[in-house]
Amino acid sequence: MINVTKPFLPEIEEYIEYLKGIWERNWLTNNGPLVNDLELKLKDYLQAKHLLYLGNGTIALQIALKALGLKGEIITTPFSYVATTSSIVWEGCVPVFADIDKDTFNIDPAKIEQAITDKTTGILATHVFGNPCDIDAIQKIADKHNLKVIYDAAHCFGTLYKGKSVFNYGDISTASFHATKIFHTIEGGAVVTNNPELLKKMAFMRNFGHETSETFAGVGINGKNSEFHAAMGLVNLKHIGAIMQSRKEQCKMYDKELADLRVKRPKIQANSEWNHSYYPVVFESEEFLLRSIAELNDNWIYPRRYFYPSLSGLNYVQKGDTPISDNISRRILSLPLAHSLKREEIAFISRILLRVQNN
Ligand SMILES: *Cc1c(COP(=O)(O)O)cnc(C)c1O
């Protein structure tokens, strides 16, 4: 069986080494030494000024929205994972959808500008599949209208924009280190910012608002992560170079094998270095996509319709006018990609897709 992805796992001995330390210290969570060490190493890797390691990427979005004090309407993309939209609603704000660019699948800056009202306070954009948004255009709009910018950078481990880590842009960027992501800590996430005041605020928020054990800086939540999760991150970080390299090679193999398949691939943003974290293809029709999935499933291959459905159709939001996102989400499929995926498997998957097309 081949799934859309398979989490990377190191040799168990590498992880056990870290477990021994945890047993010796008997310090399991609450900002322990491994969490601190991972934060330093991630800061370094992501060239981040300030970074907080959190329980997951969804709590990262919620803390970012809360720390910026966003209220009213947030302009966001309909083409993302559900957590991008649900976090906005969870924080008591209203998501307003701006349609995506037909080539990059990222939020279209021109549509953002059209969606601004006097209730708009921020923009929450996703760098879809690790492909950076049109960051300069978005920042220009934000500056002009005095809006905060949060980037959902859940897919972006290792992505660069203008030679710098993509995590450097916007007021806050969020990461997910969920098991399905290119770099993972089983469950995990982070907020990244250049603003020391925001860092301070988010650090309190992550830990129930505690200032000292008996005083509180404000309302908080439990956004912490454990020593066991940090240990997985520290081990996996040692392998990230090999993981990134294998993804790149796998994407190249798909490109070659699928050269004759009539599908569209996302256009990578200019001035950026993509991390090859997903391999999405957009078919000519939903019918062709469904036939391809059926044939792959018959061969024990399970790609994923990602992102589908378009988030403007969720039953708890006001439907927006997002024809491009609606259309692409019906036709897009993420093909299997994982560190353990073999060359022959990519060739096999590709042959099946070409057979469906040519039948
Ligand atoms: C995975 C993901 C999230 C959620 O992250 P978790 O760590 O699973 O909570 C949010 N946004 C996007 C775009 C994602 O892919």
Side-chain angles (χ1 to χ4, degrees), residues 55-61 79-85 87 126-129 152-155 174-181 186-190 278 306-307:
N56 57 67
T58 305
I59 199 81
L61 286 167
F79 193 68
S80 183
Y81 183 58
V82 69
T84 314
T85 295
S87 299
T126 301
H127 302 301
V128 174
F129 303 126
D152 182 341
H155 295 172
T174 66
S176 167
F177 309 133
H178 182 256
T180 56
K181 308 295 202 253
I186 311 169
E187 291 275 0
Y278 296 86
Y306 196 61
F307 300 108

PDB file of all heavy atoms in Angstrom, residues 55-61 79-85 87 126-129 152-155 174-181 186-190 278 306-307, ligand 1:
ATOM      1  N   GLY A  55       2.308  23.200  20.659  1.00  0.00           N
ATOM      2  CA  GLY A  55       1.692  21.873  20.598  1.00  0.00           C
ATOM      3  C   GLY A  55       1.322  21.426  19.192  1.00  0.00           C
ATOM      4  O   GLY A  55       1.404  20.240  18.876  1.00  0.00           O
ATOM      5  N   ASN A  56       0.907  22.359  18.337  1.00  0.00           N
ATOM      6  CA  ASN A  56       0.564  22.022  16.958  1.00  0.00           C
ATOM      7  C   ASN A  56       0.416  23.306  16.139  1.00  0.00           C
ATOM      8  O   ASN A  56       0.491  24.406  16.690  1.00  0.00           O
ATOM      9  CB  ASN A  56      -0.720  21.168  16.895  1.00  0.00           C
ATOM     10  CG  ASN A  56      -1.895  21.860  17.550  1.00  0.00           C
ATOM     11  OD1 ASN A  56      -2.372  22.883  17.058  1.00  0.00           O
ATOM     12  ND2 ASN A  56      -2.338  21.338  18.686  1.00  0.00           N
ATOM     13  N   GLY A  57       0.196  23.133  14.857  1.00  0.00           N
ATOM     14  CA  GLY A  57       0.112  24.282  13.959  1.00  0.00           C
ATOM     15  C   GLY A  57      -1.203  25.032  14.061  1.00  0.00           C
ATOM     16  O   GLY A  57      -1.292  26.184  13.631  1.00  0.00           O
ATOM     17  N   THR A  58      -2.221  24.399  14.601  1.00  0.00           N
ATOM     18  CA  THR A  58      -3.519  25.059  14.733  1.00  0.00           C
ATOM     19  C   THR A  58      -3.521  26.001  15.931  1.00  0.00           C
ATOM     20  O   THR A  58      -3.980  27.145  15.827  1.00  0.00           O
ATOM     21  CB  THR A  58      -4.639  23.998  14.854  1.00  0.00           C
ATOM     22  OG1 THR A  58      -4.544  23.125  13.734  1.00  0.00           O
ATOM     23  CG2 THR A  58      -6.006  24.634  14.885  1.00  0.00           C
ATOM     24  N   ILE A  59      -2.952  25.550  17.044  1.00  0.00           N
ATOM     25  CA  ILE A  59      -2.848  26.442  18.211  1.00  0.00           C
ATOM     26  C   ILE A  59      -1.918  27.609  17.859  1.00  0.00           C
ATOM     27  O   ILE A  59      -2.087  28.721  18.376  1.00  0.00           O
ATOM     28  CB  ILE A  59      -2.394  25.672  19.474  1.00  0.00           C
ATOM     29  CG1 ILE A  59      -2.730  26.460  20.755  1.00  0.00           C
ATOM     30  CG2 ILE A  59      -0.912  25.371  19.486  1.00  0.00           C
ATOM     31  CD1 ILE A  59      -4.125  26.340  21.207  1.00  0.00           C
ATOM     32  N   ALA A  60      -0.964  27.379  16.967  1.00  0.00           N
ATOM     33  CA  ALA A  60      -0.079  28.466  16.515  1.00  0.00           C
ATOM     34  C   ALA A  60      -0.894  29.553  15.818  1.00  0.00           C
ATOM     35  O   ALA A  60      -0.703  30.752  16.076  1.00  0.00           O
ATOM     36  CB  ALA A  60       1.001  27.913  15.578  1.00  0.00           C
ATOM     37  N   LEU A  61      -1.806  29.144  14.938  1.00  0.00           N
ATOM     38  CA  LEU A  61      -2.669  30.117  14.245  1.00  0.00           C
ATOM     39  C   LEU A  61      -3.551  30.866  15.244  1.00  0.00           C
ATOM     40  O   LEU A  61      -3.711  32.083  15.165  1.00  0.00           O
ATOM     41  CB  LEU A  61      -3.558  29.399  13.222  1.00  0.00           C
ATOM     42  CG  LEU A  61      -2.873  28.919  11.939  1.00  0.00           C
ATOM     43  CD1 LEU A  61      -3.777  27.950  11.173  1.00  0.00           C
ATOM     44  CD2 LEU A  61      -2.509  30.105  11.061  1.00  0.00           C
ATOM     45  N   PHE A  79      -8.304  28.303  -0.381  1.00  0.00           N
ATOM     46  CA  PHE A  79      -7.557  27.123  -0.829  1.00  0.00           C
ATOM     47  C   PHE A  79      -6.442  26.840   0.171  1.00  0.00           C
ATOM     48  O   PHE A  79      -5.312  27.307   0.036  1.00  0.00           O
ATOM     49  CB  PHE A  79      -6.989  27.351  -2.235  1.00  0.00           C
ATOM     50  CG  PHE A  79      -6.487  26.100  -2.884  1.00  0.00           C
ATOM     51  CD1 PHE A  79      -7.365  25.097  -3.267  1.00  0.00           C
ATOM     52  CD2 PHE A  79      -5.131  25.904  -3.077  1.00  0.00           C
ATOM     53  CE1 PHE A  79      -6.905  23.920  -3.857  1.00  0.00           C
ATOM     54  CE2 PHE A  79      -4.662  24.739  -3.666  1.00  0.00           C
ATOM     55  CZ  PHE A  79      -5.551  23.749  -4.056  1.00  0.00           C
ATOM     56  N   SER A  80      -6.810  26.095   1.249  1.00  0.00           N
ATOM     57  CA  SER A  80      -5.866  25.764   2.315  1.00  0.00           C
ATOM     58  C   SER A  80      -6.473  24.612   3.102  1.00  0.00           C
ATOM     59  O   SER A  80      -7.560  24.131   2.785  1.00  0.00           O
ATOM     60  CB  SER A  80      -5.653  26.977   3.229  1.00  0.00           C
ATOM     61  OG  SER A  80      -4.684  26.700   4.222  1.00  0.00           O
ATOM     62  N   TYR A  81      -5.769  24.193   4.139  1.00  0.00           N
ATOM     63  CA  TYR A  81      -6.338  23.192   5.032  1.00  0.00           C
ATOM     64  C   TYR A  81      -7.384  23.869   5.918  1.00  0.00           C
ATOM     65  O   TYR A  81      -7.288  25.071   6.199  1.00  0.00           O
ATOM     66  CB  TYR A  81      -5.223  22.560   5.878  1.00  0.00           C
ATOM     67  CG  TYR A  81      -5.733  21.462   6.763  1.00  0.00           C
ATOM     68  CD1 TYR A  81      -6.387  20.357   6.208  1.00  0.00           C
ATOM     69  CD2 TYR A  81      -5.603  21.531   8.138  1.00  0.00           C
ATOM     70  CE1 TYR A  81      -6.884  19.363   7.024  1.00  0.00           C
ATOM     71  CE2 TYR A  81      -6.089  20.534   8.947  1.00  0.00           C
ATOM     72  CZ  TYR A  81      -6.731  19.450   8.384  1.00  0.00           C
ATOM     73  OH  TYR A  81      -7.227  18.464   9.189  1.00  0.00           O
ATOM     74  N   VAL A  82      -8.356  23.119   6.371  1.00  0.00           N
ATOM     75  CA  VAL A  82      -9.495  23.678   7.111  1.00  0.00           C
ATOM     76  C   VAL A  82      -9.061  24.482   8.342  1.00  0.00           C
ATOM     77  O   VAL A  82      -9.737  25.446   8.744  1.00  0.00           O
ATOM     78  CB  VAL A  82     -10.493  22.555   7.489  1.00  0.00           C
ATOM     79  CG1 VAL A  82      -9.901  21.609   8.547  1.00  0.00           C
ATOM     80  CG2 VAL A  82     -11.811  23.129   7.981  1.00  0.00           C
ATOM     81  N   ALA A  83      -7.912  24.152   8.930  1.00  0.00           N
ATOM     82  CA  ALA A  83      -7.468  24.838  10.151  1.00  0.00           C
ATOM     83  C   ALA A  83      -7.249  26.333   9.923  1.00  0.00           C
ATOM     84  O   ALA A  83      -7.399  27.138  10.851  1.00  0.00           O
ATOM     85  CB  ALA A  83      -6.184  24.199  10.686  1.00  0.00           C
ATOM     86  N   THR A  84      -6.902  26.722   8.707  1.00  0.00           N
ATOM     87  CA  THR A  84      -6.677  28.137   8.415  1.00  0.00           C
ATOM     88  C   THR A  84      -7.969  28.927   8.644  1.00  0.00           C
ATOM     89  O   THR A  84      -7.962  29.976   9.290  1.00  0.00           O
ATOM     90  CB  THR A  84      -6.199  28.322   6.954  1.00  0.00           C
ATOM     91  OG1 THR A  84      -5.179  27.368   6.676  1.00  0.00           O
ATOM     92  CG2 THR A  84      -5.654  29.713   6.718  1.00  0.00           C
ATOM     93  N   THR A  85      -9.072  28.406   8.133  1.00  0.00           N
ATOM     94  CA  THR A  85     -10.362  29.083   8.292  1.00  0.00           C
ATOM     95  C   THR A  85     -10.949  28.862   9.687  1.00  0.00           C
ATOM     96  O   THR A  85     -11.439  29.805  10.325  1.00  0.00           O
ATOM     97  CB  THR A  85     -11.368  28.561   7.235  1.00  0.00           C
ATOM     98  OG1 THR A  85     -10.899  28.941   5.947  1.00  0.00           O
ATOM     99  CG2 THR A  85     -12.751  29.140   7.460  1.00  0.00           C
ATOM    100  N   SER A  87      -9.600  28.410  12.505  1.00  0.00           N
ATOM    101  CA  SER A  87      -8.938  29.191  13.557  1.00  0.00           C
ATOM    102  C   SER A  87      -9.515  30.599  13.630  1.00  0.00           C
ATOM    103  O   SER A  87      -9.673  31.159  14.715  1.00  0.00           O
ATOM    104  CB  SER A  87      -7.437  29.301  13.282  1.00  0.00           C
ATOM    105  OG  SER A  87      -6.861  28.034  13.258  1.00  0.00           O
ATOM    106  N   THR A 126      -2.038  31.553   3.215  1.00  0.00           N
ATOM    107  CA  THR A 126      -1.254  30.309   3.266  1.00  0.00           C
ATOM    108  C   THR A 126      -0.282  30.277   2.099  1.00  0.00           C
ATOM    109  O   THR A 126      -0.670  30.570   0.966  1.00  0.00           O
ATOM    110  CB  THR A 126      -2.202  29.092   3.165  1.00  0.00           C
ATOM    111  OG1 THR A 126      -3.119  29.138   4.251  1.00  0.00           O
ATOM    112  CG2 THR A 126      -1.424  27.775   3.214  1.00  0.00           C
ATOM    113  N   HIS A 127       0.967  29.931   2.388  1.00  0.00           N
ATOM    114  CA  HIS A 127       1.931  29.652   1.312  1.00  0.00           C
ATOM    115  C   HIS A 127       1.650  28.207   0.885  1.00  0.00           C
ATOM    116  O   HIS A 127       2.197  27.251   1.460  1.00  0.00           O
ATOM    117  CB  HIS A 127       3.374  29.747   1.797  1.00  0.00           C
ATOM    118  CG  HIS A 127       3.762  31.069   2.393  1.00  0.00           C
ATOM    119  ND1 HIS A 127       3.681  32.256   1.709  1.00  0.00           N
ATOM    120  CD2 HIS A 127       4.277  31.374   3.620  1.00  0.00           C
ATOM    121  CE1 HIS A 127       4.139  33.242   2.476  1.00  0.00           C
ATOM    122  NE2 HIS A 127       4.493  32.739   3.637  1.00  0.00           N
ATOM    123  N   VAL A 128       0.785  28.045  -0.114  1.00  0.00           N
ATOM    124  CA  VAL A 128       0.237  26.729  -0.450  1.00  0.00           C
ATOM    125  C   VAL A 128       1.299  25.772  -1.006  1.00  0.00           C
ATOM    126  O   VAL A 128       2.039  26.121  -1.920  1.00  0.00           O
ATOM    127  CB  VAL A 128      -0.916  26.899  -1.462  1.00  0.00           C
ATOM    128  CG1 VAL A 128      -1.426  25.567  -1.956  1.00  0.00           C
ATOM    129  CG2 VAL A 128      -2.048  27.691  -0.827  1.00  0.00           C
ATOM    130  N   PHE A 129       1.355  24.592  -0.447  1.00  0.00           N
ATOM    131  CA  PHE A 129       2.314  23.541  -0.840  1.00  0.00           C
ATOM    132  C   PHE A 129       3.764  24.009  -0.702  1.00  0.00           C
ATOM    133  O   PHE A 129       4.657  23.512  -1.387  1.00  0.00           O
ATOM    134  CB  PHE A 129       2.069  23.065  -2.287  1.00  0.00           C
ATOM    135  CG  PHE A 129       0.678  22.556  -2.537  1.00  0.00           C
ATOM    136  CD1 PHE A 129      -0.102  23.064  -3.574  1.00  0.00           C
ATOM    137  CD2 PHE A 129       0.130  21.560  -1.732  1.00  0.00           C
ATOM    138  CE1 PHE A 129      -1.383  22.601  -3.802  1.00  0.00           C
ATOM    139  CE2 PHE A 129      -1.157  21.085  -1.951  1.00  0.00           C
ATOM    140  CZ  PHE A 129      -1.914  21.605  -2.989  1.00  0.00           C
ATOM    141  N   ASP A 152       0.194  31.452   7.206  1.00  0.00           N
ATOM    142  CA  ASP A 152       0.155  30.034   7.551  1.00  0.00           C
ATOM    143  C   ASP A 152       1.233  29.371   6.707  1.00  0.00           C
ATOM    144  O   ASP A 152       1.048  29.123   5.516  1.00  0.00           O
ATOM    145  CB  ASP A 152      -1.235  29.462   7.251  1.00  0.00           C
ATOM    146  CG  ASP A 152      -1.352  27.982   7.631  1.00  0.00           C
ATOM    147  OD1 ASP A 152      -0.300  27.336   7.764  1.00  0.00           O
ATOM    148  OD2 ASP A 152      -2.492  27.494   7.775  1.00  0.00           O
ATOM    149  N   ALA A 153       2.383  29.138   7.355  1.00  0.00           N
ATOM    150  CA  ALA A 153       3.537  28.571   6.653  1.00  0.00           C
ATOM    151  C   ALA A 153       3.723  27.096   7.025  1.00  0.00           C
ATOM    152  O   ALA A 153       4.837  26.584   7.083  1.00  0.00           O
ATOM    153  CB  ALA A 153       4.790  29.387   6.971  1.00  0.00           C
ATOM    154  N   ALA A 154       2.580  26.417   7.251  1.00  0.00           N
ATOM    155  CA  ALA A 154       2.617  25.009   7.673  1.00  0.00           C
ATOM    156  C   ALA A 154       3.384  24.119   6.702  1.00  0.00           C
ATOM    157  O   ALA A 154       3.942  23.095   7.096  1.00  0.00           O
ATOM    158  CB  ALA A 154       1.187  24.483   7.847  1.00  0.00           C
ATOM    159  N   HIS A 155       3.403  24.518   5.421  1.00  0.00           N
ATOM    160  CA  HIS A 155       4.046  23.663   4.402  1.00  0.00           C
ATOM    161  C   HIS A 155       5.477  24.088   4.090  1.00  0.00           C
ATOM    162  O   HIS A 155       6.071  23.559   3.166  1.00  0.00           O
ATOM    163  CB  HIS A 155       3.268  23.763   3.083  1.00  0.00           C
ATOM    164  CG  HIS A 155       1.880  23.227   3.141  1.00  0.00           C
ATOM    165  ND1 HIS A 155       0.987  23.377   2.115  1.00  0.00           N
ATOM    166  CD2 HIS A 155       1.238  22.539   4.095  1.00  0.00           C
ATOM    167  CE1 HIS A 155      -0.157  22.804   2.435  1.00  0.00           C
ATOM    168  NE2 HIS A 155      -0.047  22.296   3.636  1.00  0.00           N
ATOM    169  N   THR A 174       3.278  31.040  10.983  1.00  0.00           N
ATOM    170  CA  THR A 174       3.061  29.842  11.802  1.00  0.00           C
ATOM    171  C   THR A 174       3.563  28.615  11.059  1.00  0.00           C
ATOM    172  O   THR A 174       3.521  28.553   9.829  1.00  0.00           O
ATOM    173  CB  THR A 174       1.569  29.645  12.122  1.00  0.00           C
ATOM    174  OG1 THR A 174       0.866  29.367  10.897  1.00  0.00           O
ATOM    175  CG2 THR A 174       0.970  30.871  12.789  1.00  0.00           C
ATOM    176  N   ALA A 175       4.035  27.631  11.840  1.00  0.00           N
ATOM    177  CA  ALA A 175       4.519  26.378  11.258  1.00  0.00           C
ATOM    178  C   ALA A 175       3.742  25.211  11.855  1.00  0.00           C
ATOM    179  O   ALA A 175       3.218  25.313  12.966  1.00  0.00           O
ATOM    180  CB  ALA A 175       6.005  26.201  11.559  1.00  0.00           C
ATOM    181  N   SER A 176       3.669  24.127  11.097  1.00  0.00           N
ATOM    182  CA  SER A 176       3.154  22.865  11.638  1.00  0.00           C
ATOM    183  C   SER A 176       4.241  21.812  11.510  1.00  0.00           C
ATOM    184  O   SER A 176       4.874  21.694  10.457  1.00  0.00           O
ATOM    185  CB  SER A 176       1.924  22.398  10.871  1.00  0.00           C
ATOM    186  OG  SER A 176       1.640  21.043  11.215  1.00  0.00           O
ATOM    187  N   PHE A 177       4.446  21.076  12.587  1.00  0.00           N
ATOM    188  CA  PHE A 177       5.391  19.946  12.556  1.00  0.00           C
ATOM    189  C   PHE A 177       4.642  18.638  12.774  1.00  0.00           C
ATOM    190  O   PHE A 177       5.116  17.722  13.443  1.00  0.00           O
ATOM    191  CB  PHE A 177       6.493  20.130  13.608  1.00  0.00           C
ATOM    192  CG  PHE A 177       7.173  21.471  13.561  1.00  0.00           C
ATOM    193  CD1 PHE A 177       7.387  22.196  14.726  1.00  0.00           C
ATOM    194  CD2 PHE A 177       7.599  22.017  12.358  1.00  0.00           C
ATOM    195  CE1 PHE A 177       8.009  23.437  14.701  1.00  0.00           C
ATOM    196  CE2 PHE A 177       8.226  23.262  12.318  1.00  0.00           C
ATOM    197  CZ  PHE A 177       8.437  23.973  13.491  1.00  0.00           C
ATOM    198  N   HIS A 178       3.429  18.581  12.215  1.00  0.00           N
ATOM    199  CA  HIS A 178       2.627  17.364  12.276  1.00  0.00           C
ATOM    200  C   HIS A 178       3.335  16.236  11.523  1.00  0.00           C
ATOM    201  O   HIS A 178       4.125  16.487  10.613  1.00  0.00           O
ATOM    202  CB  HIS A 178       1.247  17.638  11.656  1.00  0.00           C
ATOM    203  CG  HIS A 178       0.340  16.467  11.712  1.00  0.00           C
ATOM    204  ND1 HIS A 178       0.062  15.685  10.613  1.00  0.00           N
ATOM    205  CD2 HIS A 178      -0.336  15.936  12.755  1.00  0.00           C
ATOM    206  CE1 HIS A 178      -0.762  14.713  10.989  1.00  0.00           C
ATOM    207  NE2 HIS A 178      -1.018  14.849  12.280  1.00  0.00           N
ATOM    208  N   ALA A 179       3.031  15.001  11.898  1.00  0.00           N
ATOM    209  CA  ALA A 179       3.699  13.827  11.334  1.00  0.00           C
ATOM    210  C   ALA A 179       3.674  13.776   9.803  1.00  0.00           C
ATOM    211  O   ALA A 179       4.555  13.171   9.193  1.00  0.00           O
ATOM    212  CB  ALA A 179       3.081  12.558  11.910  1.00  0.00           C
ATOM    213  N   THR A 180       2.674  14.403   9.183  1.00  0.00           N
ATOM    214  CA  THR A 180       2.576  14.356   7.716  1.00  0.00           C
ATOM    215  C   THR A 180       3.400  15.430   7.023  1.00  0.00           C
ATOM    216  O   THR A 180       3.489  15.435   5.792  1.00  0.00           O
ATOM    217  CB  THR A 180       1.113  14.548   7.272  1.00  0.00           C
ATOM    218  OG1 THR A 180       0.646  15.779   7.838  1.00  0.00           O
ATOM    219  CG2 THR A 180       0.239  13.403   7.728  1.00  0.00           C
ATOM    220  N   LYS A 181       3.998  16.334   7.796  1.00  0.00           N
ATOM    221  CA  LYS A 181       4.731  17.428   7.168  1.00  0.00           C
ATOM    222  C   LYS A 181       6.187  17.034   6.879  1.00  0.00           C
ATOM    223  O   LYS A 181       6.704  16.076   7.450  1.00  0.00           O
ATOM    224  CB  LYS A 181       4.695  18.674   8.067  1.00  0.00           C
ATOM    225  CG  LYS A 181       3.298  19.087   8.522  1.00  0.00           C
ATOM    226  CD  LYS A 181       2.383  19.547   7.391  1.00  0.00           C
ATOM    227  CE  LYS A 181       1.257  20.417   7.855  1.00  0.00           C
ATOM    228  NZ  LYS A 181      -0.080  19.813   7.856  1.00  0.00           N
ATOM    229  N   ILE A 186       6.145  14.654  15.450  1.00  0.00           N
ATOM    230  CA  ILE A 186       4.932  13.845  15.705  1.00  0.00           C
ATOM    231  C   ILE A 186       3.724  14.793  15.654  1.00  0.00           C
ATOM    232  O   ILE A 186       2.990  14.779  14.688  1.00  0.00           O
ATOM    233  CB  ILE A 186       4.976  13.068  17.022  1.00  0.00           C
ATOM    234  CG1 ILE A 186       6.316  12.293  17.136  1.00  0.00           C
ATOM    235  CG2 ILE A 186       3.778  12.091  17.092  1.00  0.00           C
ATOM    236  CD1 ILE A 186       6.583  11.696  18.480  1.00  0.00           C
ATOM    237  N   GLU A 187       3.502  15.542  16.736  1.00  0.00           N
ATOM    238  CA  GLU A 187       2.625  16.708  16.719  1.00  0.00           C
ATOM    239  C   GLU A 187       3.541  17.893  17.049  1.00  0.00           C
ATOM    240  O   GLU A 187       4.510  17.738  17.790  1.00  0.00           O
ATOM    241  CB  GLU A 187       1.531  16.609  17.793  1.00  0.00           C
ATOM    242  CG  GLU A 187       0.474  15.546  17.546  1.00  0.00           C
ATOM    243  CD  GLU A 187      -0.671  16.000  16.652  1.00  0.00           C
ATOM    244  OE1 GLU A 187      -0.675  17.161  16.199  1.00  0.00           O
ATOM    245  OE2 GLU A 187      -1.556  15.163  16.387  1.00  0.00           O
ATOM    246  N   GLY A 188       3.212  19.049  16.553  1.00  0.00           N
ATOM    247  CA  GLY A 188       4.016  20.214  16.905  1.00  0.00           C
ATOM    248  C   GLY A 188       3.741  21.375  15.978  1.00  0.00           C
ATOM    249  O   GLY A 188       3.149  21.204  14.911  1.00  0.00           O
ATOM    250  N   GLY A 189       4.156  22.541  16.414  1.00  0.00           N
ATOM    251  CA  GLY A 189       3.995  23.738  15.600  1.00  0.00           C
ATOM    252  C   GLY A 189       4.849  24.843  16.171  1.00  0.00           C
ATOM    253  O   GLY A 189       5.562  24.652  17.165  1.00  0.00           O
ATOM    254  N   ALA A 190       4.784  26.014  15.546  1.00  0.00           N
ATOM    255  CA  ALA A 190       5.566  27.149  16.035  1.00  0.00           C
ATOM    256  C   ALA A 190       4.977  28.452  15.538  1.00  0.00           C
ATOM    257  O   ALA A 190       4.280  28.475  14.522  1.00  0.00           O
ATOM    258  CB  ALA A 190       7.015  27.040  15.566  1.00  0.00           C
ATOM    259  N   TYR A 278       5.220  18.874  -1.582  1.00  0.00           N
ATOM    260  CA  TYR A 278       4.059  18.123  -2.097  1.00  0.00           C
ATOM    261  C   TYR A 278       4.199  17.983  -3.600  1.00  0.00           C
ATOM    262  O   TYR A 278       4.934  18.745  -4.228  1.00  0.00           O
ATOM    263  CB  TYR A 278       2.740  18.856  -1.782  1.00  0.00           C
ATOM    264  CG  TYR A 278       2.470  18.962  -0.296  1.00  0.00           C
ATOM    265  CD1 TYR A 278       3.000  20.009   0.451  1.00  0.00           C
ATOM    266  CD2 TYR A 278       1.709  17.993   0.356  1.00  0.00           C
ATOM    267  CE1 TYR A 278       2.779  20.091   1.826  1.00  0.00           C
ATOM    268  CE2 TYR A 278       1.476  18.073   1.719  1.00  0.00           C
ATOM    269  CZ  TYR A 278       2.018  19.119   2.456  1.00  0.00           C
ATOM    270  OH  TYR A 278       1.805  19.191   3.801  1.00  0.00           O
ATOM    271  N   TYR A 306      -6.287  17.224  -2.209  1.00  0.00           N
ATOM    272  CA  TYR A 306      -5.736  18.193  -1.270  1.00  0.00           C
ATOM    273  C   TYR A 306      -5.411  19.441  -2.043  1.00  0.00           C
ATOM    274  O   TYR A 306      -4.607  19.369  -2.979  1.00  0.00           O
ATOM    275  CB  TYR A 306      -4.469  17.574  -0.671  1.00  0.00           C
ATOM    276  CG  TYR A 306      -3.909  18.190   0.567  1.00  0.00           C
ATOM    277  CD1 TYR A 306      -4.650  18.243   1.735  1.00  0.00           C
ATOM    278  CD2 TYR A 306      -2.619  18.707   0.570  1.00  0.00           C
ATOM    279  CE1 TYR A 306      -4.105  18.781   2.887  1.00  0.00           C
ATOM    280  CE2 TYR A 306      -2.072  19.238   1.723  1.00  0.00           C
ATOM    281  CZ  TYR A 306      -2.822  19.268   2.874  1.00  0.00           C
ATOM    282  OH  TYR A 306      -2.282  19.802   4.019  1.00  0.00           O
ATOM    283  N   PHE A 307      -6.081  20.551  -1.861  1.00  0.00           N
ATOM    284  CA  PHE A 307      -7.126  20.802  -0.870  1.00  0.00           C
ATOM    285  C   PHE A 307      -8.496  20.650  -1.497  1.00  0.00           C
ATOM    286  O   PHE A 307      -8.765  21.274  -2.517  1.00  0.00           O
ATOM    287  CB  PHE A 307      -7.006  22.224  -0.325  1.00  0.00           C
ATOM    288  CG  PHE A 307      -5.716  22.499   0.341  1.00  0.00           C
ATOM    289  CD1 PHE A 307      -4.783  23.323  -0.260  1.00  0.00           C
ATOM    290  CD2 PHE A 307      -5.414  21.927   1.575  1.00  0.00           C
ATOM    291  CE1 PHE A 307      -3.580  23.585   0.365  1.00  0.00           C
ATOM    292  CE2 PHE A 307      -4.225  22.195   2.205  1.00  0.00           C
ATOM    293  CZ  PHE A 307      -3.302  23.016   1.598  1.00  0.00           C
TER     294      PHE A 307
HETATM  295  C1  LIG B   1      -1.197  20.857   8.685  1.00  0.00           C
HETATM  296  C2  LIG B   1      -1.751  22.210   8.453  1.00  0.00           C
HETATM  297  C3  LIG B   1      -2.287  22.988   9.506  1.00  0.00           C
HETATM  298  C4  LIG B   1      -2.529  22.427  10.868  1.00  0.00           C
HETATM  299  O1  LIG B   1      -1.397  22.021  11.530  1.00  0.00           O
HETATM  300  P1  LIG B   1      -1.520  20.978  12.748  1.00  0.00           P
HETATM  301  O2  LIG B   1      -0.129  20.925  13.264  1.00  0.00           O
HETATM  302  O3  LIG B   1      -1.992  19.684  12.167  1.00  0.00           O
HETATM  303  O4  LIG B   1      -2.479  21.543  13.726  1.00  0.00           O
HETATM  304  C5  LIG B   1      -2.675  24.282   9.222  1.00  0.00           C
HETATM  305  N1  LIG B   1      -2.583  24.797   7.984  1.00  0.00           N
HETATM  306  C6  LIG B   1      -2.105  24.083   6.955  1.00  0.00           C
HETATM  307  C7  LIG B   1      -2.004  24.725   5.600  1.00  0.00           C
HETATM  308  C8  LIG B   1      -1.702  22.766   7.145  1.00  0.00           C
HETATM  309  O5  LIG B   1      -1.260  22.041   6.116  1.00  0.00           O
END
